[in-house]
Every structure is written in structure tokens, then in C-alpha cells.
Amino acid sequence: MIEVAVEKRLGDFRLDAHFTAPATGIVSLYGRSGAGKTSVINAIAGLLKPDRGLIRIAGETVFSSAERIDLPPQARRLGYIFQEGRLFPHFSVKGNLGYGMKPDGNIKFDAVVALLGLEHLLDRRPAGLSGGEKQRVAIGRALLAQPRLLLMDEPLASLDDARKAEIMPFIERLHDELRIPTLYVSHDMDENMRLADTLVLMDQGKVAAVGPVEELTSRFELRELTGRFDAGAVIRATVAGHDLSFGLSELAFPGGRFKVARVNLPLGTPVRARIRANDVALATARPDQISIRNILPARVIEIAPDGDNKNVIDVRLDIGANGAPVVLWARITARASQELKLAVGAPVFALIKTVALERGSYGRFAPAHSEANKSL
């Protein structure tokens, strides 16, 4: 477990962060700029000393004001990747990777080079690398220090969309192949949806909520923190079929299936699908002769105005079956809600366009269940 309970005064800003999260998978500290995310990760790394509190990693206390424990950064066995690579300009890629390397550990040099696709870059200097390549080298250097926990402070923030798309699969592979727990700082919900297993939502120096990505993104009371414009639900599913003729795939979730644009993943691959509330329409009767391919039986479980805008209504739906709830979120006008006579408990149909679910809407996760696989 990662246990954090720290307080720190930084000018007019007061950090008062308390949370416990599993030391497995990717834990994301998420919040607006200035929420205190980097201060928390720096405190964990030993780069910022709290005024008071406790930090414990996998059962070991690395900071305790009460016990006067404050391990130096090098004794905490952590790997830190910053927003920018911070590589040594006079070293080659190979030299940067070797700096601080512990050759007697389980993570080997050749394995890291292969994992991060660095074979052809070993003799280059940082000046000859792209932003994405620099970050891959920085990740490799941190891994070769044999950390028990990897810290990533918005490692994609300084990259353009093309470089982000380049490096994202490598971060996924770190999780899937090396199983090193990671604490990941981000203010991008798309990154969290694709990478994170657990969200730690931060606001004004405090922790507002902790839990699985799919749980926190479906809670109405957290809309201000998870993002109103991109509000929606995250659903766990598995790749269940491919229709090569029409470039479609089918994802199975507890209670049903939905069609999406083609995903280049094997059958049975566990994924998370992010479905934005603005992409979900509702009907009280199953429509015929309609282009929308996903028409899912649902039950209304909550109705609430969208904050101060009384003309927009958020509707939480359950599309699961056999006692396994699967939450979906629709955003409609107040007039539509009134004309449909929506009420909690009412049966409806949720309509989702296939093209609304593009590749960027998916993220991997450690499977908690399995679905039977079959082709379309």
C-alpha cells in the first residue's frame, strides 16, 4: 500500500493530503493545475519535506514527523520521471541509461532497451532525440535504478499529440510486462482512462476521493473535479469479436455488448471503454430504421441538473444485468427529460453511435472478470 498523510505550507498554498492507495498498477493523482499533485509526489520522493505527517510505501515508513524519520531520496528506492527528460547532454543514450544503474537487480539493461524500443538510439546524444524519445530514455534510466515504485510527474505534458501517441504504448507495457507500481500525476482525463487503475482526485491541496477510474468518473457529485465537458462513464469490457468487412469490433460487458470502430486487439483482451455523456441519447421505446448501432436496454438510477445550468440534465443509467450494475451517463436537455417523462427506476434505451467510440476511447486494465469470446 501507499499511505500518505502530509501537511505543508507553501506560501499561501496549504497542502493537507491524506490517502491510501494500492501499491499495484497505476495510481493517478488527478486534478486541476495548482491542486497540489506535484507537491504530493515530491514529498513522496523526498524532494519536499512536509511540515508534519506520515508517508509509508509497501509497509516501510520513509517519512514520519512523529518518529523523526526522513529517509533521503536515494534511500527510498524510487524512480522519478519529470515532465522533461532531464538527460545529461554530454552522455549518449547508453550513458544516460547506465547512470545510476544497479546491474544486480531484476530489471536488466537489454530488456529495458528492447521494451522501450531504444536499440537504434544508444549512440545518440539527447540533442538528437525527439521529445518522445527523450522521455523513453528517462523512463529507462529510472527503471534501471531498480525502483520499487515509479513516480511520473506529467511525463506527457510537454509533448505534442503525435509524441504522446508514440510514448503511451510504452507506458502501458511497463505496467503489463514489468508490473512495477506507478504513481502518475496528470490533469488529462484521457490519459487516466487509458493508463490508470486507481484515481486520487485532488482539489485545492486536499484529496477529494480515491477509487477505481470507472467508479469515480460515474459519480455526479464529482463532476466538477472529473470534468463537466468530458463527463461520462468508463465501462470494463473485453474484445469479443471483429467484423473485418466493415471495420468494426464488438466489446462485451456484464449484461451486453456494443459495437465500436475496429480495435487492433486480440479476442479476450480486457479494455475500458470511455463513453462521453454527450454521445448518449435516450429513447423510451426501441427505435427502428436508425443508423445508430448500439441500442442498449437501461434503467434510470439518478437524475440531476448539470450544475447551475437547469436546462441540461444528467441521467445515470444501469445497463448491466443479473445483478451486475454497469453505469452509463447521458446528458440531455431538460425539455427532453420532461417530454420523455423520465423518472428514477424507469426503463429506457440508451443509444450510442459506433463512431463515437474511437481508438482514443479505450484503455487497458487488469482483468477482474472474463467474458466468453466469439466472432461477430
Side-chain angles (χ1 to χ4, degrees), residues 21-60:
T24 56
I26 297 178
V27 178
S28 176
L29 295 177
Y30 177 76
R32 302 181 184 90
S33 296
K37 306 181 299 295
T38 297
S39 296
V40 169
I41 204 172
N42 283 342
I44 293 171
L47 304 179
L48 177 69
K49 183 177 180 179
D51 297 330
R52 63 190 64 83
L54 172 73
I55 302 173
R56 189 177 288 129
I57 301 171
E60 181 184 5

Side-chain angles (χ1 to χ4, degrees), residues 18-246:
H18 300 252
F19 69 90
T20 300
T24 56
I26 297 178
V27 178
S28 176
L29 295 177
Y30 177 76
R32 302 181 184 90
S33 296
K37 306 181 299 295
T38 297
S39 296
V40 169
I41 204 172
N42 283 342
I44 293 171
L47 304 179
L48 177 69
K49 183 177 180 179
D51 297 330
R52 63 190 64 83
L54 172 73
I55 302 173
R56 189 177 288 129
I57 301 171
E60 181 184 5
T61 300
V62 298
F63 176 84
S64 172
S65 56
E67 300 178 58
R68 297 187 177 181
I69 296 173
D70 186 14
L71 297 186
Q74 66 273 18
R76 300 191 182 196
R77 293 174 49 214
L78 308 175
Y80 201 136
I81 295 108
F82 298 88
Q83 290 186 21
E84 60 287 335
R86 299 195 182 186
L87 303 179
F88 296 111
H90 54 294
F91 284 175
S92 65
V93 167
K94 185 175 183 179
N96 271 282
L97 290 171
Y99 186 85
M101 181 176 68
K102 297 179 181 178
D104 56 343
N106 294 327
I107 302 175
K108 303 301 183 183
F109 183 90
D110 289 344
V112 168
V113 169
L115 178 70
L116 296 172
L118 300 174
E119 297 93 338
H120 63 295
L121 302 176
L122 291 176
D123 294 329
R124 290 194 198 175
R125 297 287 179 90
L129 302 177
S130 70
E133 289 168 343
K134 290 177 182 177
Q135 284 300 75
R136 281 154 54 194
V137 176
I139 291 170
R141 182 174 63 186
L143 290 173
L144 289 169
Q146 311 295 327
R148 59 178 168 181
L149 177 67
L150 205 58
L151 307 177
M152 292 187 167
D153 184 12
E154 301 199 61
L156 308 182
S158 62
L159 305 179
D160 59 29
D161 289 342
R163 301 289 79 76
K164 285 182 181 181
E166 168 194 321
I167 199 171
M168 194 85 78
F170 293 103
I171 297 177
E172 289 179 317
R173 291 182 66 189
L174 293 182
H175 174 278
D176 296 337
E177 298 183 26
L178 297 182
R179 300 293 179 185
I180 296 179
T182 300
L183 194 60
Y184 189 96
V185 171
S186 175
H187 64 267
D188 186 321
M189 184 54 75
D190 284 333
E191 288 179 23
N192 287 320
M193 190 284 306
R194 183 165 174 181
L195 297 173
D197 300 292
T198 302
L199 274 186
V200 178
L201 292 180
M202 295 198 63
D203 184 39
Q204 300 181 27
K206 295 185 177 182
V207 174
V210 181
V213 173
E214 56 268 26
E215 175 189 327
L216 297 195
T217 54
S218 68
R219 286 168 53 180
F220 278 0
E221 74 273 19
L222 298 176
R223 287 174 292 188
E224 291 291 346
L225 300 180
T226 56
R228 285 185 175 276
F229 180 76
D230 285 334
V234 176
I235 295 175
R236 291 191 176 213
T238 54
V239 178
H242 298 300
D243 183 346
L244 301 181
S245 298
F246 290 96

